[in-house]
Amino acid sequence: MIWKPNVTVAAVVERDGRFLLVEEETERGRLYNQPAGHLDPGESLVHAVGREMLEETAYTFKPTGLLGIYQYHSTADGVTYIRFAFTGEIAAHDAGRALDHGIIRAAWLTPQEIRRESDRHRSPLVMRCIDDYLAGRRY
C-alpha cells in the first residue's frame, strides 16, 4: 500500500489586527479554521487557495506570499495533511454569495480571541500559522 498525504491550502489574512477565520460545522462540532481546503486534481496551489477563500468566505483573495508548508497528522481520522499556507490581500467581497456547505460564518478575530478558542480549532495549524505570520515568516 502506498501512503499518500492529503494536500491542502489555507489563506492567512490579517486586516487591522484581526485575522479572517471560518466557523464551520464538523463531525467534532463547531470549529474554527483558516479558509482552507483540498487541492483538486489538475489545480495549482495558488488557484486552489483563491477558490477555497471565495467558496468559504465570499472574499476574492490574491495570494502574495507563501507563509509556510506544514505537516499535521490527525489522530481523529488517521490522516496526514500537508498544508500550503498563503498570505495575501482581499480584493473584493460578494456579500450575497452563499458560503460552502458546513460554513456557518466568516469572522475577523484578534490573535487573543483566536488563542482563547484554541479548544475549538480544527487543528493545531490554525494558531501555528497565525504565530508564524506575526513572527514575519514569508517565503
Side-chain angles (χ1 to χ4, degrees), residues 68-113:
I69 303 168
Y70 303 85
Q71 183 173 330
Y72 169 66
H73 180 78
S74 170
T75 56
D77 60 13
V79 175
T80 297
Y81 297 90
I82 304 296
R83 173 189 264 206
F84 292 81
F86 292 88
T87 61
E89 303 166 356
I90 298 293
H93 185 247
D94 180 359
R97 182 183 175 93
L99 303 181
D100 261 1
H101 176 75
I103 302 295
I104 299 162
R105 69 184 178 116
W108 291 93
L109 303 171
T110 67
Q112 296 79 12
E113 291 168 328

Side-chain angles (χ1 to χ4, degrees), residues 16-139:
D16 300 326
R18 295 178 176 272
F19 288 86
L20 181 61
L21 296 185
V22 293
E23 185 178 14
E24 56 189 338
E25 192 64 54
T26 74
E27 61 284 349
R28 294 178 13 233
R30 288 184 174 195
L31 301 177
Y32 284 107
N33 198 9
Q34 276 92 14
H38 292 269
L39 181 69
D40 286 344
E43 187 176 40
S44 74
L45 294 167
V46 169
H47 181 267
V49 73
R51 175 185 53 76
E52 288 292 348
M53 172 70 95
L54 184 62
E55 291 173 355
E56 294 190 355
T57 69
Y59 284 100
T60 303
F61 178 68
K62 179 185 173 196
T64 58
L66 180 66
L67 177 65
I69 303 168
Y70 303 85
Q71 183 173 330
Y72 169 66
H73 180 78
S74 170
T75 56
D77 60 13
V79 175
T80 297
Y81 297 90
I82 304 296
R83 173 189 264 206
F84 292 81
F86 292 88
T87 61
E89 303 166 356
I90 298 293
H93 185 247
D94 180 359
R97 182 183 175 93
L99 303 181
D100 261 1
H101 176 75
I103 302 295
I104 299 162
R105 69 184 178 116
W108 291 93
L109 303 171
T110 67
Q112 296 79 12
E113 291 168 328
I114 296 166
R115 200 172 305 282
R116 275 198 306 268
E117 294 287 346
S118 63
D119 60 328
R120 292 184 56 214
H121 291 179
R122 182 88 184 232
S123 81
L125 297 181
V126 173
M127 200 70 231
R128 182 162 173 212
C129 285
I130 290 171
D131 287 340
D132 284 353
Y133 179 93
L134 291 171
R137 292 195 172 93
R138 308 286 189 282
Y139 299 96

